[in-house]
Amino acid sequence: MQKIKTILMAAVFFCACLTGFSQRSKLAPTPPMGYMTWNYYADKITEQDVRTIADAMVANGLVQIGYDYIFIDDGWQGGRDNRNNIIPDPKKFPSGIKALADYVHSKGIKLGIYSDAAPLTCAGYTASLHFEEQDAKTFASWGIDYLKYDYCGAPPDKETAMKRYKKMADALSNSGRDIVFGICEWGGRQPWTWGAEVGGNLWRIDGDIRDKWSADFDAPGTPKGGIGILDAVNRNADLVQYAGPGKWNDPDMLVVGLYGRKGPSGDLGGVGCNDIEYQSQMSLWCLQAAPLMITCDVAHMNEATKRILTNKEILAIDQDPLGKQAERKINKDGWQVYLKPLSDGNYALGILNTDSTSRKYNISLEQLGLSGKYNTLNVWTGETKKKQSKLSYEVKPHATIVLKLNQQ
Ligand code: GLA
């Protein structure tokens, strides 16, 4: 009898998860794109900063090409009122979050916010444990469109993580508003294996990214431990099967354009990258169908940063509705080759040189399982070539060549 009861309960949990997932999976059909405040503002973020970001993102066209979220990370909270409603810090957000949401919505931008599955967040602010329903309703009443839910201060085991994330996902589902749910437990409990099932739309696969190419290149004397662009890419390469519409592997924010700025992305060896490396981050994030969250000073981007963040061909690869993450076909001798199937039956191809010297790479498309000849478009240079079956490129250190292949 007890056994039957257990089986029935497991079946009910499974069905509830599936129903929850089928509703929630519609929320992020392509990887979310926008701005996340953490790497540039840390917990000093204010409502005026958010307005400045919104205005800049409209003025420089970022919103119009798809970066349509602004996400307020940690540091906005001001505790709870006498009814236990979570409230923003009145000094940083004097007009309240609802007024700010109305403002960004009027510009065609959606608003994201941050909390944590414990009493306090990573930066020590009020969080949502035991207040999930109430906070989800508050966020919905403010007009929030996306919640990033962190895991600082929570127990290390996977079962508790699954329970706490499901609790908040259910609360969001019952809140009366469509709110995208981002799981942020840094990959330690393999959230790609359960994130969608508990109602997540994306899950961080790793710790916080630093503004650097790779931990392998940490300069002597810099504090160690932070992960760089290549470290995140390498981890994501093994997780292809878990991504798809409504459920994305999240290798963390874009560091493009930060150039070694002091702050969260600048510690643990975050000394900055060159533009080739920033362009590689963009290339690899898009090939791997990652969420694209800008974190630099969008009101004062230089030409290189603008060019990297606004290339329409690379963005279309990230946002392709098929939602397939590129498969790493080759990982040998400092070369990595990625192939991403696209919804029109064509492919995006990436060739990354992880070595620190410029080198020539020759490959036949047959080696990647592609028969026949393909026309190629180099998405970064605009160069087109007809009917290719063999490719040969000189690739600079840490550069990624991205080609669109089509057979028509
Ligand atoms: C954690 C997250 C970061 C950021 C900070 C805020 O470290 O992984 O992305 O949200 O917390 O405190």
Side-chain angles (χ1 to χ4, degrees):
M1 191 60 190
Q2 187 56 36
K3 216 169 166 191
I4 296 174
K5 228 170 148 185
T6 315
I7 293 171
L8 274 176
M9 273 167 66
V12 167
F13 183 78
F14 182 68
C15 291
C17 283
L18 279 186
T19 327
F21 172 62
S22 62
Q23 287 161 4
R24 302 203 53 78
S25 68
K26 299 201 176 76
L27 292 184
T30 59
M33 290 171 60
Y35 188 91
M36 206 168 253
T37 57
W38 186 245
N39 280 346
Y40 196 80
Y41 297 91
D43 67 342
K44 307 283 180 296
I45 184 72
T46 67
E47 76 176 41
Q48 190 45 52
D49 296 328
V50 176
R51 283 168 194 259
T52 303
I53 297 165
D55 294 347
M57 287 177 72
V58 171
N60 58 28
L62 288 172
V63 175
Q64 297 84 324
I65 56 169
Y67 291 97
D68 61 358
Y69 280 96
I70 294 178
F71 174 84
I72 309 171
D73 210 296
D74 207 354
W76 63 271
Q77 311 86 329
R80 294 186 181 277
D81 67 11
N82 55 12
R83 291 176 167 173
N84 277 330
N85 291 316
I86 196 161
I87 50 168
D89 180 320
K91 286 210 186 78
K92 295 176 183 164
F93 293 86
S95 322
I97 306 287
K98 167 100 179 68
L100 195 54
D102 290 346
Y103 183 77
V104 304
H105 287 158
S106 77
K107 308 245 160 194
I109 303 171
K110 295 175 264 188
L111 192 65
I113 211 159
Y114 166 100
S115 194
D116 188 296
L120 295 178
T121 68
C122 295
Y125 293 82
T126 302
S128 295
L129 184 67
H130 304 314
F131 292 96
E132 292 86 354
E133 287 282 330
Q134 193 173 346
D135 288 358
K137 290 215 164 80
T138 302
F139 298 151
S141 75
W142 287 343
I144 292 296
D145 306 290
Y146 175 157
L147 175 69
K148 169 176 170 182
Y149 206 43
D150 221 332
Y151 205 64
C152 281
D157 63 288
K158 182 173 102 175
E159 287 65 36
T160 306
M162 287 177 71
K163 259 192 222 141
R164 290 193 183 185
Y165 278 106
K166 182 166 179 346
K167 186 127 198 236
M168 185 46 104
D170 289 349
L172 294 175
S173 297
N174 296 332
S175 72
R177 189 172 172 89
D178 285 344
I179 301 179
V180 169
F181 190 39
I183 292 174
C184 180
E185 60 73 80
W186 325 290
R189 286 145 284 258
Q190 291 82 41
W192 42 89
T193 62
W194 50 265
E197 186 189 312
V198 302
N201 297 109
L202 56 151
W203 39 84
R204 282 273 297 280
I205 58 162
D206 47 20
D208 295 7
I209 194 162
R210 269 30 191 219
D211 184 11
K212 63 176 168 181
W213 176 246
S214 161
D216 297 341
F217 287 77
D218 274 339
T222 49
K224 307 267 181 277
I227 64 157
I229 293 169
L230 183 62
D231 310 306
V233 165
N234 282 335
R235 174 174 274 216
N236 209 357
D238 294 330
L239 305 178
V240 174
Q241 70 185 97
Y242 303 104
K247 43 179 196 148
W248 307 105
N249 293 316
D250 176 9
D252 204 7
M253 308 167 217
L254 294 170
V255 290
V256 178
L258 283 169
Y259 298 107
R261 185 191 153 78
K262 288 199 171 42
S265 66
D267 63 4
L268 299 177
V271 291
C273 298
N274 61 40
D275 288 331
I276 290 178
E277 293 166 334
Y278 286 141
Q279 184 167 302
S280 260
Q281 186 188 27
M282 189 69 185
S283 303
L284 294 158
W285 258 234
C286 291
L287 286 161
Q288 292 188 327
L292 299 176
M293 290 291 160
I294 300 172
T295 61
C296 67
D297 180 2
V298 274
H300 304 99
M301 294 187 291
N302 68 13
E303 280 312 310
T305 304
K306 242 185 254 171
R307 182 182 58 74
I308 292 168
L309 294 175
T310 61
N311 180 305
K312 288 194 178 141
E313 294 290 350
I314 198 78
L315 290 174
I317 292 173
D318 183 72
Q319 294 292 302
D320 185 80
L322 191 60
K324 288 257 188 231
Q325 189 171 319
E327 209 181 301
R328 184 161 63 184
K329 294 283 192 180
I330 293 173
N331 182 20
K332 209 175 151 207
D333 303 329
W335 293 106
Q336 298 195 7
V337 178
Y338 289 87
L339 192 65
K340 183 183 200 287
L342 301 173
S343 52
D344 61 3
N346 293 314
Y347 295 91
L349 173 79
I351 303 170
L352 162 66
N353 176 11
T354 67
D355 202 73
S356 32
T357 55
S358 232
R359 298 185 299 157
K360 192 158 208 162
Y361 193 61
N362 301 311
I363 188 174
S364 72
L365 292 178
E366 220 169 6
Q367 273 173 269
L368 304 172
L370 300 178
S371 54
K373 294 185 191 282
Y374 282 79
N375 303 325
T376 64
L377 163 70
N378 182 325
V379 309
W380 292 112
T381 64
E383 181 193 36
T384 53
K385 290 184 185 168
K386 293 256 177 244
K387 302 204 162 129
Q388 304 287 300
S389 55
K390 293 197 167 98
L391 308 175
S392 179
Y393 284 91
E394 184 71 28
V395 192
K396 294 200 171 120
H398 306 171
T400 305
I401 307 263
V402 183
L403 304 174
K404 266 191 176 172
L405 307 179
N406 87 67
Q407 242 176 350
Q408 281 90 52

